Amino acid sequence: MNNGVTIDQLHEMWTTDSPINETDPHKELTRVPVLHAKYLKIRSHHNLLVKRIQFEYTNKRKLKQDYFAGHLNNPEDLEKYNLPPLQEKIYKQDMNAHLDADDELNKILIKKIIHQEIVDTCDSILKELNNRTYQLGNITKWMMFIGEQN
């Protein structure tokens, strides 16, 4: 099973899974581990993607740094890395500005940000699921209290 989801799909899933059936707390208690496993798998999948994308970014940033410094301006390197000839050498003090403005590097960062948002959302869902046991306990106590009052 592929555990890759978009942030919109994740929100939709949680909208469906989050309501608590207060009339049957026992059934809800049995759902907690199932939901926990579901969102943990999604979190793990996207957390691994974040790490893979970080490696990709680090490698590509080093390549671009070497390119902007003029170290990859021979025809073989330009062809190997599919880079246009560098028109001018970038000075060290201007390097970060050029790296930060690089479209290819920014596309990689955007992918990382999207997957990190999914990881962060799963973390919030998992925290909510961890608290669900206490919520269900309180619902049960309230039902018992109301039952004693009648």
Short mmCIF file of all heavy atoms in Angstrom, two decimals, residues 96-148:
data_model
loop_
_atom_site.label_atom_id
_atom_site.label_comp_id
_atom_site.label_asym_id
_atom_site.label_seq_id
_atom_site.Cartn_x
_atom_site.Cartn_y
_atom_site.Cartn_z
N ASN A 96 25.49 32.89 -1.84
CA ASN A 96 24.22 32.51 -1.20
C ASN A 96 23.02 33.15 -1.89
O ASN A 96 21.97 32.51 -2.02
CB ASN A 96 24.24 32.85 0.29
CG ASN A 96 25.01 31.84 1.09
OD1 ASN A 96 25.15 30.68 0.68
ND2 ASN A 96 25.53 32.25 2.23
N ALA A 97 23.17 34.38 -2.35
CA ALA A 97 22.06 35.04 -3.04
C ALA A 97 21.71 34.28 -4.33
O ALA A 97 20.53 34.09 -4.64
CB ALA A 97 22.42 36.49 -3.35
N HIS A 98 22.71 33.83 -5.05
CA HIS A 98 22.46 33.07 -6.29
C HIS A 98 21.89 31.69 -5.99
O HIS A 98 20.99 31.22 -6.70
CB HIS A 98 23.75 32.96 -7.11
CG HIS A 98 24.11 34.23 -7.81
ND1 HIS A 98 23.57 34.60 -9.01
CD2 HIS A 98 24.93 35.23 -7.44
CE1 HIS A 98 24.05 35.77 -9.38
NE2 HIS A 98 24.89 36.18 -8.44
N LEU A 99 22.39 31.05 -4.95
CA LEU A 99 21.87 29.73 -4.58
C LEU A 99 20.42 29.85 -4.10
O LEU A 99 19.57 29.02 -4.45
CB LEU A 99 22.74 29.09 -3.50
CG LEU A 99 24.13 28.66 -3.96
CD1 LEU A 99 25.00 28.29 -2.75
CD2 LEU A 99 24.05 27.51 -4.93
N ASP A 100 20.13 30.88 -3.30
CA ASP A 100 18.77 31.07 -2.78
C ASP A 100 17.78 31.39 -3.90
O ASP A 100 16.59 31.10 -3.76
CB ASP A 100 18.75 32.18 -1.74
CG ASP A 100 19.44 31.79 -0.45
OD1 ASP A 100 19.67 30.57 -0.23
OD2 ASP A 100 19.76 32.70 0.35
N ALA A 101 18.26 31.98 -4.98
CA ALA A 101 17.37 32.36 -6.08
C ALA A 101 17.30 31.30 -7.18
O ALA A 101 16.55 31.47 -8.14
CB ALA A 101 17.84 33.69 -6.68
N ASP A 102 18.02 30.22 -7.03
CA ASP A 102 18.07 29.19 -8.06
C ASP A 102 16.73 28.44 -8.14
O ASP A 102 16.28 27.86 -7.15
CB ASP A 102 19.22 28.22 -7.79
CG ASP A 102 19.40 27.22 -8.91
OD1 ASP A 102 20.03 27.59 -9.91
OD2 ASP A 102 18.88 26.09 -8.78
N ASP A 103 16.12 28.43 -9.32
CA ASP A 103 14.81 27.80 -9.50
C ASP A 103 14.83 26.30 -9.20
O ASP A 103 13.91 25.78 -8.58
CB ASP A 103 14.29 28.01 -10.93
CG ASP A 103 13.83 29.44 -11.16
OD1 ASP A 103 13.51 30.14 -10.18
OD2 ASP A 103 13.78 29.86 -12.33
N GLU A 104 15.87 25.64 -9.66
CA GLU A 104 15.96 24.19 -9.45
C GLU A 104 16.05 23.85 -7.95
O GLU A 104 15.38 22.93 -7.47
CB GLU A 104 17.18 23.65 -10.20
CG GLU A 104 17.14 22.18 -10.46
CD GLU A 104 18.29 21.72 -11.37
OE1 GLU A 104 19.11 22.54 -11.80
OE2 GLU A 104 18.34 20.51 -11.62
N LEU A 105 16.86 24.60 -7.23
CA LEU A 105 16.97 24.36 -5.78
C LEU A 105 15.66 24.70 -5.07
O LEU A 105 15.25 23.98 -4.15
CB LEU A 105 18.12 25.19 -5.19
CG LEU A 105 19.53 24.76 -5.58
CD1 LEU A 105 20.55 25.75 -5.05
CD2 LEU A 105 19.83 23.36 -5.09
N ASN A 106 15.00 25.76 -5.50
CA ASN A 106 13.74 26.14 -4.87
C ASN A 106 12.63 25.13 -5.11
O ASN A 106 11.79 24.90 -4.24
CB ASN A 106 13.33 27.55 -5.30
CG ASN A 106 14.17 28.60 -4.62
OD1 ASN A 106 14.60 28.43 -3.48
ND2 ASN A 106 14.42 29.69 -5.31
N LYS A 107 12.63 24.50 -6.27
CA LYS A 107 11.64 23.44 -6.54
C LYS A 107 11.84 22.26 -5.59
O LYS A 107 10.88 21.66 -5.11
CB LYS A 107 11.73 22.98 -7.99
CG LYS A 107 11.15 23.96 -8.97
CD LYS A 107 11.31 23.49 -10.41
CE LYS A 107 10.81 24.56 -11.36
NZ LYS A 107 11.04 24.20 -12.76
N ILE A 108 13.09 21.94 -5.32
CA ILE A 108 13.38 20.85 -4.38
C ILE A 108 12.92 21.24 -2.98
O ILE A 108 12.30 20.44 -2.27
CB ILE A 108 14.89 20.50 -4.39
CG1 ILE A 108 15.30 19.95 -5.76
CG2 ILE A 108 15.22 19.50 -3.29
CD1 ILE A 108 16.81 19.81 -5.95
N LEU A 109 13.19 22.49 -2.58
CA LEU A 109 12.77 22.95 -1.25
C LEU A 109 11.25 22.95 -1.10
O LEU A 109 10.73 22.60 -0.04
CB LEU A 109 13.31 24.36 -0.97
CG LEU A 109 14.77 24.44 -0.57
CD1 LEU A 109 15.19 25.90 -0.39
CD2 LEU A 109 15.04 23.65 0.70
N ILE A 110 10.55 23.30 -2.16
CA ILE A 110 9.08 23.29 -2.10
C ILE A 110 8.56 21.88 -1.87
O ILE A 110 7.65 21.66 -1.06
CB ILE A 110 8.48 23.92 -3.38
CG1 ILE A 110 8.72 25.43 -3.37
CG2 ILE A 110 7.00 23.60 -3.52
CD1 ILE A 110 8.41 26.13 -4.67
N LYS A 111 9.16 20.90 -2.57
CA LYS A 111 8.76 19.49 -2.33
C LYS A 111 8.99 19.12 -0.87
O LYS A 111 8.14 18.46 -0.25
CB LYS A 111 9.56 18.55 -3.24
CG LYS A 111 9.15 18.55 -4.68
CD LYS A 111 9.74 17.41 -5.49
CE LYS A 111 11.19 17.15 -5.28
NZ LYS A 111 11.77 16.14 -6.20
N LYS A 112 10.12 19.52 -0.34
CA LYS A 112 10.43 19.20 1.05
C LYS A 112 9.42 19.85 2.00
O LYS A 112 8.93 19.20 2.93
CB LYS A 112 11.85 19.66 1.41
CG LYS A 112 12.23 19.36 2.84
CD LYS A 112 13.59 19.89 3.18
CE LYS A 112 13.86 19.66 4.66
NZ LYS A 112 15.00 20.42 5.14
N ILE A 113 9.08 21.09 1.76
CA ILE A 113 8.13 21.82 2.61
C ILE A 113 6.76 21.13 2.59
O ILE A 113 6.11 20.99 3.64
CB ILE A 113 8.03 23.29 2.17
CG1 ILE A 113 9.32 24.03 2.52
CG2 ILE A 113 6.82 23.98 2.77
CD1 ILE A 113 9.47 25.39 1.87
N ILE A 114 6.33 20.69 1.42
CA ILE A 114 5.02 20.03 1.30
C ILE A 114 5.00 18.74 2.11
O ILE A 114 4.06 18.48 2.87
CB ILE A 114 4.68 19.77 -0.18
CG1 ILE A 114 4.39 21.10 -0.88
CG2 ILE A 114 3.52 18.80 -0.32
CD1 ILE A 114 4.33 21.01 -2.40
N HIS A 115 6.04 17.93 1.97
CA HIS A 115 6.09 16.67 2.71
C HIS A 115 6.26 16.91 4.21
O HIS A 115 5.70 16.18 5.03
CB HIS A 115 7.19 15.76 2.17
CG HIS A 115 6.89 15.21 0.82
ND1 HIS A 115 5.92 14.26 0.60
CD2 HIS A 115 7.41 15.50 -0.40
CE1 HIS A 115 5.86 13.99 -0.69
NE2 HIS A 115 6.75 14.73 -1.32
N GLN A 116 7.00 17.95 4.59
CA GLN A 116 7.16 18.27 6.01
C GLN A 116 5.83 18.71 6.61
O GLN A 116 5.53 18.37 7.76
CB GLN A 116 8.22 19.37 6.19
CG GLN A 116 8.52 19.66 7.66
CD GLN A 116 9.08 18.45 8.39
OE1 GLN A 116 10.05 17.85 7.96
NE2 GLN A 116 8.45 18.08 9.50
N GLU A 117 5.01 19.42 5.84
CA GLU A 117 3.69 19.82 6.33
C GLU A 117 2.81 18.59 6.59
O GLU A 117 2.06 18.55 7.57
CB GLU A 117 3.01 20.76 5.32
CG GLU A 117 1.66 21.26 5.75
CD GLU A 117 1.68 22.10 7.02
OE1 GLU A 117 2.72 22.71 7.33
OE2 GLU A 117 0.65 22.14 7.71
N ILE A 118 2.92 17.59 5.74
CA ILE A 118 2.16 16.35 5.95
C ILE A 118 2.65 15.65 7.21
O ILE A 118 1.84 15.17 8.02
CB ILE A 118 2.26 15.43 4.70
CG1 ILE A 118 1.51 16.09 3.53
CG2 ILE A 118 1.72 14.04 4.98
CD1 ILE A 118 1.72 15.44 2.19
N VAL A 119 3.96 15.61 7.42
CA VAL A 119 4.53 15.01 8.64
C VAL A 119 4.01 15.76 9.87
O VAL A 119 3.57 15.15 10.85
CB VAL A 119 6.07 15.01 8.60
CG1 VAL A 119 6.66 14.63 9.95
CG2 VAL A 119 6.58 14.06 7.52
N ASP A 120 4.05 17.09 9.82
CA ASP A 120 3.59 17.89 10.96
C ASP A 120 2.11 17.69 11.24
O ASP A 120 1.68 17.60 12.40
CB ASP A 120 3.88 19.37 10.72
CG ASP A 120 5.37 19.69 10.68
OD1 ASP A 120 6.19 18.84 11.12
OD2 ASP A 120 5.73 20.78 10.19
N THR A 121 1.31 17.59 10.17
CA THR A 121 -0.12 17.35 10.35
C THR A 121 -0.36 15.97 10.96
O THR A 121 -1.20 15.82 11.87
CB THR A 121 -0.85 17.49 9.00
OG1 THR A 121 -0.63 18.81 8.49
CG2 THR A 121 -2.35 17.24 9.15
N CYS A 122 0.37 14.97 10.51
CA CYS A 122 0.25 13.62 11.10
C CYS A 122 0.65 13.65 12.58
O CYS A 122 0.02 12.97 13.40
CB CYS A 122 1.11 12.62 10.33
SG CYS A 122 0.40 12.11 8.76
N ASP A 123 1.68 14.41 12.92
CA ASP A 123 2.07 14.53 14.33
C ASP A 123 0.92 15.08 15.17
O ASP A 123 0.65 14.58 16.26
CB ASP A 123 3.30 15.44 14.48
CG ASP A 123 4.59 14.76 14.06
OD1 ASP A 123 4.62 13.51 13.96
OD2 ASP A 123 5.58 15.49 13.83
N SER A 124 0.23 16.08 14.64
CA SER A 124 -0.93 16.65 15.36
C SER A 124 -2.05 15.63 15.50
O SER A 124 -2.68 15.51 16.55
CB SER A 124 -1.45 17.89 14.62
OG SER A 124 -0.50 18.91 14.64
N ILE A 125 -2.30 14.89 14.43
CA ILE A 125 -3.35 13.85 14.47
C ILE A 125 -2.99 12.77 15.48
O ILE A 125 -3.83 12.34 16.27
CB ILE A 125 -3.57 13.26 13.06
CG1 ILE A 125 -4.20 14.31 12.14
CG2 ILE A 125 -4.42 11.99 13.12
CD1 ILE A 125 -4.24 13.92 10.67
N LEU A 126 -1.74 12.35 15.48
CA LEU A 126 -1.31 11.31 16.42
C LEU A 126 -1.42 11.78 17.87
O LEU A 126 -1.80 11.01 18.75
CB LEU A 126 0.12 10.86 16.10
CG LEU A 126 0.25 10.07 14.78
CD1 LEU A 126 1.72 9.92 14.39
CD2 LEU A 126 -0.43 8.72 14.88
N LYS A 127 -1.13 13.04 18.12
CA LYS A 127 -1.31 13.59 19.47
C LYS A 127 -2.78 13.56 19.87
O LYS A 127 -3.12 13.21 21.00
CB LYS A 127 -0.77 15.02 19.56
CG LYS A 127 0.73 15.09 19.60
CD LYS A 127 1.22 16.53 19.66
CE LYS A 127 2.73 16.58 19.53
NZ LYS A 127 3.22 17.96 19.45
N GLU A 128 -3.63 13.94 18.93
CA GLU A 128 -5.07 13.91 19.19
C GLU A 128 -5.53 12.48 19.48
O GLU A 128 -6.34 12.24 20.39
CB GLU A 128 -5.83 14.48 17.99
CG GLU A 128 -7.33 14.43 18.11
CD GLU A 128 -7.89 15.29 19.23
OE1 GLU A 128 -7.26 16.30 19.58
OE2 GLU A 128 -8.96 14.93 19.76
N LEU A 129 -5.02 11.52 18.73
CA LEU A 129 -5.39 10.12 18.96
C LEU A 129 -4.89 9.64 20.32
O LEU A 129 -5.57 8.85 21.00
CB LEU A 129 -4.86 9.23 17.84
CG LEU A 129 -5.59 9.35 16.51
CD1 LEU A 129 -4.84 8.63 15.41
CD2 LEU A 129 -7.02 8.83 16.63
N ASN A 130 -3.71 10.09 20.73
CA ASN A 130 -3.20 9.72 22.05
C ASN A 130 -4.09 10.26 23.16
O ASN A 130 -4.25 9.63 24.21
CB ASN A 130 -1.77 10.21 22.24
CG ASN A 130 -0.78 9.38 21.45
OD1 ASN A 130 -1.03 8.23 21.14
ND2 ASN A 130 0.35 9.98 21.13
N ASN A 131 -4.71 11.42 22.93
CA ASN A 131 -5.61 12.01 23.92
C ASN A 131 -7.01 11.41 23.86
O ASN A 131 -7.80 11.58 24.79
CB ASN A 131 -5.70 13.53 23.72
CG ASN A 131 -4.44 14.23 24.10
OD1 ASN A 131 -3.72 13.79 24.99
ND2 ASN A 131 -4.15 15.32 23.43
N ARG A 132 -7.31 10.71 22.81
CA ARG A 132 -8.67 10.19 22.62
C ARG A 132 -9.06 9.21 23.73
O ARG A 132 -10.22 9.17 24.14
CB ARG A 132 -8.78 9.51 21.25
CG ARG A 132 -10.22 9.15 20.91
CD ARG A 132 -10.40 8.87 19.47
NE ARG A 132 -10.46 10.12 18.73
CZ ARG A 132 -10.96 10.24 17.52
NH1 ARG A 132 -11.45 9.19 16.90
NH2 ARG A 132 -10.99 11.40 16.91
N THR A 133 -8.14 8.43 24.23
CA THR A 133 -8.43 7.49 25.31
C THR A 133 -8.97 8.23 26.53
O THR A 133 -9.95 7.81 27.15
CB THR A 133 -7.17 6.70 25.68
OG1 THR A 133 -6.62 6.14 24.50
CG2 THR A 133 -7.47 5.59 26.65
N TYR A 134 -8.34 9.35 26.85
CA TYR A 134 -8.81 10.16 27.99
C TYR A 134 -10.17 10.77 27.71
O TYR A 134 -11.03 10.82 28.58
CB TYR A 134 -7.79 11.25 28.32
CG TYR A 134 -6.44 10.70 28.69
CD1 TYR A 134 -5.35 10.82 27.84
CD2 TYR A 134 -6.25 10.02 29.90
CE1 TYR A 134 -4.12 10.29 28.17
CE2 TYR A 134 -5.02 9.49 30.25
CZ TYR A 134 -3.96 9.63 29.37
OH TYR A 134 -2.75 9.11 29.70
N GLN A 135 -10.36 11.24 26.48
CA GLN A 135 -11.65 11.82 26.11
C GLN A 135 -12.76 10.78 26.23
O GLN A 135 -13.84 11.06 26.76
CB GLN A 135 -11.60 12.36 24.67
CG GLN A 135 -10.68 13.53 24.49
CD GLN A 135 -10.44 13.86 23.02
OE1 GLN A 135 -10.69 13.04 22.14
NE2 GLN A 135 -9.95 15.06 22.76
N LEU A 136 -12.47 9.57 25.75
CA LEU A 136 -13.48 8.51 25.82
C LEU A 136 -13.74 8.11 27.27
O LEU A 136 -14.88 7.79 27.64
CB LEU A 136 -13.04 7.31 24.98
CG LEU A 136 -13.08 7.56 23.47
CD1 LEU A 136 -12.35 6.45 22.73
CD2 LEU A 136 -14.51 7.68 22.99
N GLY A 137 -12.71 8.12 28.10
CA GLY A 137 -12.89 7.83 29.53
C GLY A 137 -13.81 8.87 30.17
O GLY A 137 -14.68 8.52 30.98
N ASN A 138 -13.60 10.12 29.81
CA ASN A 138 -14.46 11.18 30.35
C ASN A 138 -15.89 11.06 29.85
O ASN A 138 -16.84 11.31 30.60
CB ASN A 138 -13.89 12.55 30.00
CG ASN A 138 -12.65 12.87 30.81
OD1 ASN A 138 -12.45 12.34 31.90
ND2 ASN A 138 -11.80 13.73 30.26
N ILE A 139 -16.06 10.67 28.61
CA ILE A 139 -17.41 10.46 28.07
C ILE A 139 -18.10 9.33 28.85
O ILE A 139 -19.27 9.45 29.24
CB ILE A 139 -17.36 10.13 26.56
CG1 ILE A 139 -16.94 11.38 25.77
CG2 ILE A 139 -18.69 9.59 26.06
CD1 ILE A 139 -16.63 11.12 24.31
N THR A 140 -17.38 8.24 29.11
CA THR A 140 -17.93 7.11 29.84
C THR A 140 -18.33 7.54 31.25
O THR A 140 -19.42 7.20 31.74
CB THR A 140 -16.91 5.96 29.89
OG1 THR A 140 -16.58 5.58 28.55
CG2 THR A 140 -17.47 4.75 30.62
N LYS A 141 -17.48 8.29 31.91
CA LYS A 141 -17.79 8.78 33.26
C LYS A 141 -19.02 9.68 33.24
O LYS A 141 -19.88 9.59 34.12
CB LYS A 141 -16.60 9.54 33.85
CG LYS A 141 -15.45 8.64 34.24
CD LYS A 141 -14.27 9.47 34.72
CE LYS A 141 -13.04 8.60 34.93
NZ LYS A 141 -11.85 9.39 35.26
N TRP A 142 -19.10 10.53 32.24
CA TRP A 142 -20.25 11.42 32.13
C TRP A 142 -21.53 10.62 31.89
O TRP A 142 -22.56 10.90 32.50
CB TRP A 142 -20.03 12.42 30.99
CG TRP A 142 -21.22 13.30 30.75
CD1 TRP A 142 -22.07 13.27 29.70
CD2 TRP A 142 -21.70 14.34 31.61
NE1 TRP A 142 -23.05 14.21 29.82
CE2 TRP A 142 -22.85 14.89 31.00
CE3 TRP A 142 -21.29 14.85 32.83
CZ2 TRP A 142 -23.56 15.93 31.57
CZ3 TRP A 142 -22.01 15.89 33.39
CH2 TRP A 142 -23.13 16.42 32.77
N MET A 143 -21.46 9.59 31.04
CA MET A 143 -22.63 8.76 30.79
C MET A 143 -23.08 8.03 32.05
O MET A 143 -24.27 7.91 32.34
CB MET A 143 -22.35 7.76 29.65
CG MET A 143 -22.22 8.45 28.29
SD MET A 143 -21.63 7.34 26.99
CE MET A 143 -23.03 6.28 26.79
N MET A 144 -22.08 7.56 32.85
CA MET A 144 -22.42 6.88 34.10
C MET A 144 -23.05 7.87 35.08
O MET A 144 -24.02 7.55 35.77
CB MET A 144 -21.16 6.25 34.70
CG MET A 144 -20.71 5.02 33.92
SD MET A 144 -19.09 4.31 34.38
CE MET A 144 -18.97 4.53 36.11
N PHE A 145 -22.53 9.08 35.11
CA PHE A 145 -23.07 10.11 36.01
C PHE A 145 -24.50 10.46 35.62
O PHE A 145 -25.38 10.54 36.49
CB PHE A 145 -22.18 11.35 35.96
CG PHE A 145 -22.71 12.50 36.75
CD1 PHE A 145 -22.66 12.49 38.14
CD2 PHE A 145 -23.26 13.61 36.11
CE1 PHE A 145 -23.15 13.56 38.85
CE2 PHE A 145 -23.76 14.67 36.83
CZ PHE A 145 -23.71 14.65 38.21
N ILE A 146 -24.73 10.62 34.34
CA ILE A 146 -26.08 10.94 33.85
C ILE A 146 -27.02 9.77 34.15
O ILE A 146 -28.16 9.97 34.55
CB ILE A 146 -26.07 11.25 32.34
CG1 ILE A 146 -25.26 12.51 32.04
CG2 ILE A 146 -27.46 11.39 31.78
CD1 ILE A 146 -25.81 13.76 32.69
N GLY A 147 -26.54 8.54 33.97
CA GLY A 147 -27.35 7.36 34.25
C GLY A 147 -27.74 7.28 35.72
O GLY A 147 -28.84 6.85 36.05
N GLU A 148 -26.85 7.70 36.61
CA GLU A 148 -27.15 7.69 38.03
C GLU A 148 -28.17 8.76 38.40
O GLU A 148 -28.92 8.62 39.36
CB GLU A 148 -25.87 7.92 38.85
CG GLU A 148 -24.91 6.75 38.78
CD GLU A 148 -23.57 7.06 39.46
OE1 GLU A 148 -23.43 8.16 40.04
OE2 GLU A 148 -22.69 6.20 39.40
#
